[in-house]
């Protein structure tokens, strides 16, 4: 089965979100942006490990989706559930935005017509 366009779009979304987050964190370290670097240090270096892990998992999940990997869709669902949980600690609008993104992604990843892509003969190829 050929990769559905919805899977390509979802994978691209997660890859871009993960890469943009990493770039946003790494840019002050690669440039002489002393103001940004001071903010990064103020936020705490210990916070970067979990943040970078989360962003890397988004990229890994997106690439896995492109390859038809079943574990990738479960990883991205867990990633979204984790972020919904985090947004419970923040604001209601943030929670609603995460839920608004999660609902269609969940539907598109797990609808019946996606099963051949994730379990078919072409699963695992990019």
């Amino acid at each position: 089965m050929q990769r559905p366009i919805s899977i390509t779009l979802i994978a691209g979304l997660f890859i871009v979100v993960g890469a943009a987050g990493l770039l946003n964190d790494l840019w002050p370290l690669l440039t002489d942006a002393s103001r940004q670097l001071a903010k990064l240090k103020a936020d705490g270096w210990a916070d970067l490990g979990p943040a970078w892990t989360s962003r890397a998992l988004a990229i890994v999940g997106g690439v896995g989706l492109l390859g038809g990997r079943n574990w990738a869709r479960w990883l991205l669902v867990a990633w979204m559930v984790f972020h919904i949980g985090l947004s419970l600690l923040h604001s209601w609008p943030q929670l609603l935005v995460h839920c608004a993104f999660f609902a269609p992604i969940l539907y598109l990843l797990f609808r019946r017509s996606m099963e051949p892509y994730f379990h078919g003969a072409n699963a695992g190829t990019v």
Side-chain angles (χ1 to χ4, degrees), residues 9-114:
L9 292 174
I10 293 168
L13 174 71
F14 278 96
I15 292 168
V16 166
V17 165
L22 284 174
L23 185 60
N24 183 54
D25 289 340
L26 293 174
W27 190 253
L29 302 174
L30 301 174
T31 63
D32 188 27
S34 57
R35 184 175 170 191
Q36 289 176 316
L37 191 55
K39 182 191 177 304
L40 192 60
K41 287 180 181 177
D43 288 344
W45 292 101
D47 290 343
L48 291 179
W52 288 349
T53 301
S54 173
R55 291 166 181 151
L57 287 174
I59 295 168
V60 168
V63 171
L65 266 184
L66 291 175
R69 307 287 187 173
N70 190 46
W71 57 261
R73 63 180 174 167
W74 287 102
L75 172 64
L76 294 179
V77 166
W79 191 92
M80 284 298 300
V81 168
F82 174 73
H83 281 82
I84 288 171
L86 284 179
S87 61
L88 282 170
L89 304 172
H90 297 116
S91 66
W92 282 103
Q94 190 177 20
L95 174 65
L96 293 176
V97 167
H98 276 99
C99 289
F101 276 104
F102 182 56
I105 288 171
L106 184 66
Y107 168 74
L108 291 170
L109 288 178
F110 286 94
R111 62 188 168 153
R112 188 176 303 265
S113 63
M114 292 298 114

